[in-house]
Amino acid sequence: MEARGSSAPNGVREWMGIMQFPVATQASLHDLLARLRKDNRDSLTILVLGKCGVGKSSTVNSIFGERVCVVSAFQSETIRPTIASRTRAGFTLNIIDTPGLVEAGCVSDEAFDAIRKFLLDRPVDAVLYVDRLDSYRVDSLDHQVMTTLTRIFGPLLWKIALLVLTRGQIVPPDGTNYSEFVSRRTEALREAIHQAAKFKKSDPQIPTVVVENSGRCATNDDGEKVLPDKTVWIPNLVRNIVEVVTGEKASTYTVDERTIKGSHGSWWPKLMTIPLFLFQLKVVYPLIRAQVFADIDEGEEEE
Ligand SMILES: Nc1nc2c(ncn2[C@@H]2O[C@H](COP(=O)(O)OP(=O)(O)OP(=O)(O)O)[C@@H](O)[C@H]2O)c(=O)[nH]1
Ligand SMILES: [Mg+2]
């Protein structure tokens, strides 16, 4: 049987970064790769999306275990979509890092355009929608970003998406319990996504994973990076991605010509042109015609 998943580009570099993970993390990752191979997949393509500076590139680097993307605290370093690929034991992992979806306080049309063009004919197996855990509000800009994602890429994008919350090592304000803080932030973002994605009430919630990309992330006795609630987050993130990919709802998302031309989801304005044309033909045109003939008759009578 032919292997499933998006194809690997030629000349892909060996995934050396995996070897710098502690042995326990490496073992978990190898188990997960084996699960994918069992599902007859020899490659995986992950798309990373989110606002500026939320930690998209840092998360890509954390997954690969090496610096494949430029990261900066002070300016947008990711100016166009880029794909990084690494191969390990016959399996290829491709991750597409993208520019921030917000520019100067507004949704960046330029970023959306660049992403949809980049995605043409590049099937995506899973999407990471990245935001910060240490933000307290879901504001109108968040809603705009999510709604624009749905409008441009279609609701299917969210069906293969995971919500990834960076800066997982925070100390919640006002003595709030860590788990409670994570739940409240997660719920607020999930609700906004649920609305923007036009999910039904019965649709499952988007899976959520907390990560900590800082080099100063706490570790457990095995040297694995852990969150304040002791979750070993790198295998947890990859496990969630594997579940999205192998789950019942799994589907490889492709941006087609229709999406590129910007017509996704906007069929109704076109449909509206038909009654408008008929209205002009049957009502406006006869009225104008009658008025013109009336004017001509009037002119002739005056002569
Ligand atoms: N403490 C901490 N800092 C993080 C984390 N993730 C990212 N950062 C920092 O946040 C800043 C922005 O990170 P990037 O990875 O460049 O963010 P980005 O979303 O790729 O940014 P753009 O490409 O500009 O949209 C950098 O200073 C990172 O070191 C995290 O989990 N914890
Ligand atoms: Mg970046």
Side-chain angles (χ1 to χ4, degrees), residues 191-204:
E191 202 180 305
I193 290 171
H194 216 85
Q195 259 179 36
K198 300 189 177 92
F199 280 171
K200 287 192 234 91
K201 268 211 171 105
S202 55
D203 281 331

Side-chain angles (χ1 to χ4, degrees), residues 47-49 81 98 101 108-120 122 124 127 145-160 253-256 258-260 262-265:
L47 170 67
V48 184
L49 297 169
T98 60
L101 300 172
S108 166
D109 293 338
E110 221 174 276
F112 274 95
D113 256 17
I115 296 167
R116 68 177 170 196
K117 281 181 188 140
F118 190 85
L119 291 183
L120 184 62
R122 268 200 183 99
V124 167
V127 174
V145 169
M146 293 166 185
T147 310
T148 310
L149 278 170
T150 310
R151 181 169 53 78
I152 291 183
F153 297 108
L156 182 61
L157 180 97
W158 296 107
K159 298 270 180 200
I160 56 163
Y253 174 80
T254 319
V255 171
D256 55 15
R258 201 164 58 101
T259 317
I260 294 295
S263 61
H264 208 299

